[in-house]
Amino acid sequence: MKPNRFFDAGSEAKFRSLVEKESTPFLAVDLNTIIKRFELMQKGFPNAAIHFAVKANPHDVVLAKLAELGSNFDVASVQELDKVLALGVDPSRISYGNTIKKEKDIRYSYEKGVRLYCSDSEVDIHNLSRCAPGSEVFVRILVEGAETADWPLSRKFGCQPDLAIDLILMARELGLNASGFSFHVGSQQRDIGAWDAAIAKTKYITDRLAEHGVSISLLNLGGGFPATYNQKMHPFERYAKSINRFLREDFGKKHPRLILEPGRFLVGDAGVLVSEVVLVSRKSRDDVNRWVYTDVGVFGGLIETLGESIKYRVVCDRNGAEEEEVVLAGPTCDSMDIMYQFNKYPLPLSLEVGDKIYWLSTGAYTYTYSSVEFNGFPPLKTFVID
């Protein structure tokens, strides 16, 4: 039985060594894949500053490699800030992109040297003016189309254009350098048109502000660039080409300074989560579907399968065997711990307890979403292959 191959030859050998000696479940993250993704994004957006969204995978080795490649970083908390600073990253390369932050955390990050912040509310603007005086601020706006993403970010973040304009003007009156806007089209966004509508909205707001004599110099396009899951998607080059065209159509040749905040795109496809079959059963003698229970589940790092939103590619080493669709569930005593019940996955009829199951493109949001000790299960072990 020939095993699946997931990485290039050098990384694959190291990965197989992990599979042989480590108990499951565990996540393996390939640095070579991350390097290639970072270079691909640089090529597609040569004039943009790339701020890796630390929340996607805050492993120290991953962050250190990205820092070495020249990446900037977007943090969502002072804890993430401390992780990045501990690697020797200059605070000028860090943005604080979370719009929901305590006043004391703003003060702490400012004292550490952070001078770039995101906001979407009056209270936060006032806090920034007091605790991070003179800092550069961009306002996050609500955009349409985020609902078409596989992992939508809803209406929790951002504000409508009229309020965004007021916040820019208020921030400037309070002594902040209110330089522009950001948006997020939703995580794992496969509809390129979502960026078109969002960029057009920022152009509308920019023109409105120009009527007040205010010029905009920064545009943060956020993240949303997809990893490779089960659903069909365009190659990254198509995203880059189209988004650059949208910018030219709306802003001409001299568009504002650009920031990108990729997370999933940079690290998602670098990860393979290795699990083991714990149990195979049917709910009745006549049940047409087998239930396959693995030693990793929703609470062990696969929380993005909630609502079956993110559909990972799932394979095992029993290639060529007759297959049947199954329900995939995790090991905990919680009825929510079912990954795929309606979008069923074909797995071999010969599948047995102890067989390995590989969850592909799991380098993003598995390591961080894993629970601390639910049902006594430890956090997801993570190994970085370099």
Side-chain angles (χ1 to χ4, degrees):
M1 177 170 55
K2 185 178 180 180
N4 296 279
R5 178 171 169 173
F6 306 120
F7 306 115
D8 62 28
S11 296
E12 185 69 18
K14 296 176 182 177
F15 172 71
R16 286 298 159 185
S17 177
L18 285 172
V19 172
E20 290 176 4
K21 70 181 182 181
E22 294 294 337
S23 60
T24 59
F26 68 85
L27 174 69
V29 179
D30 179 39
L31 281 186
N32 289 326
T33 301
I34 294 174
I35 292 169
K36 292 174 183 176
R37 284 299 176 91
F38 186 81
E39 292 173 346
L40 185 61
M41 180 159 275
Q42 282 185 313
K43 184 177 179 181
F45 296 95
N47 299 317
I50 299 174
H51 286 238
F52 174 63
V54 174
K55 59 183 176 289
N57 190 322
H59 196 287
D60 287 341
V61 179
V62 170
L63 298 180
K65 175 54 67 174
L66 285 168
E68 178 187 322
L69 294 172
S71 178
N72 302 306
F73 296 90
D74 181 72
V75 302
S77 67
V78 293
Q79 289 78 15
E80 286 188 350
L81 171 63
D82 285 342
K83 285 181 70 73
V84 176
L85 291 176
L87 296 172
V89 175
D90 192 275
S92 64
R93 295 167 60 184
I94 301 173
S95 56
Y96 200 134
N98 193 348
T99 62
I100 306 165
K101 46 194 176 289
K102 296 178 179 180
E103 191 170 348
K104 68 175 183 178
D105 291 342
I106 297 173
R107 185 176 296 108
Y108 178 86
S109 61
Y110 181 79
E111 291 171 351
K112 291 293 184 179
V114 177
R115 295 294 184 271
L116 182 59
Y117 298 86
C118 183
S119 186
D120 64 0
S121 67
E122 293 185 9
V123 171
D124 190 58
I125 289 292
H126 281 286
N127 288 342
L128 286 166
S129 69
R130 288 192 301 272
C131 303
S135 292
E136 184 174 9
V137 177
F138 54 92
V139 173
R140 180 164 173 171
I141 61 172
L142 282 166
V143 294
E144 293 77 22
E147 296 78 11
T148 63
D150 292 335
W151 192 256
L153 298 178
S154 69
R155 294 174 58 84
K156 182 177 180 181
F157 307 101
C159 61
Q160 294 290 358
D162 55 345
L163 179 56
I165 291 170
D166 290 343
L167 292 178
I168 288 287
L169 296 175
M170 175 192 302
R172 292 196 168 202
E173 291 176 0
L174 292 172
L176 294 167
N177 174 18
S179 60
F181 303 99
S182 73
F183 59 78
H184 202 299
V185 296
S187 192
Q188 188 67 10
Q189 177 61 263
R190 290 176 291 119
D191 180 8
I192 300 178
W195 278 273
D196 190 11
I199 291 169
K201 179 172 280 191
T202 63
K203 181 59 168 63
Y204 164 77
I205 302 173
T206 297
D207 290 345
R208 287 279 307 277
L209 280 168
E211 297 173 2
H212 295 272
V214 174
S215 60
I216 292 303
S217 60
L218 172 66
L219 181 57
N220 185 332
L221 304 181
F225 301 98
T228 310
Y229 301 134
N230 259 358
Q231 303 94 326
K232 186 177 180 180
M233 52 178 272
H234 295 291
F236 175 76
E237 292 84 353
R238 177 75 176 273
Y239 285 86
K241 183 177 180 180
S242 296
I243 292 170
N244 281 312
R245 175 170 57 83
F246 301 152
L247 287 165
R248 289 193 302 272
E249 289 173 351
D250 286 322
F251 287 95
K253 294 183 179 180
K254 294 185 178 181
H255 57 68
R257 159 174 140 249
L258 295 180
I259 286 179
L260 302 175
E261 293 178 359
R264 191 185 303 276
F265 173 77
L266 289 183
V267 298
D269 289 343
V272 175
L273 200 167
V274 184
S275 66
E276 182 178 304
V277 176
V278 176
L279 184 68
V280 181
S281 70
R282 298 182 190 268
K283 297 300 182 184
S284 72
R285 294 184 185 279
D286 300 318
D287 196 344
V288 295
N289 293 123
R290 288 174 300 160
W291 283 65
V292 174
Y293 300 89
T294 76
D295 59 2
V296 72
V298 170
F299 304 101
L302 296 176
I303 198 170
E304 288 195 318
T305 62
L306 281 177
E308 307 193 16
S309 297
I310 297 298
K311 300 175 181 63
Y312 297 105
R313 292 172 292 154
V314 177
V315 299
C316 70
D317 282 336
R318 290 182 179 268
N319 296 320
E322 184 180 355
E323 294 183 330
E324 175 187 71
E325 290 185 335
V326 305
V327 176
L328 279 166
T332 66
C333 295
D334 192 300
S335 60
M336 285 183 61
D337 196 8
I338 302 173
M339 288 79 81
Y340 301 117
Q341 184 171 6
F342 303 104
N343 293 281
K344 296 181 177 64
Y345 280 64
L347 289 177
L349 280 168
S350 57
L351 193 71
E352 297 178 355
V353 171
D355 283 351
K356 296 288 194 302
I357 290 183
Y358 304 93
W359 304 74
L360 310 189
S361 297
T362 46
Y365 299 109
T366 49
Y367 167 54
T368 47
Y369 271 143
S370 177
S371 67
V372 175
E373 199 177 349
F374 184 57
N375 278 197
F377 292 107
L380 183 65
K381 294 181 295 185
T382 300
F383 304 94
V384 178
I385 301 171
D386 57 14

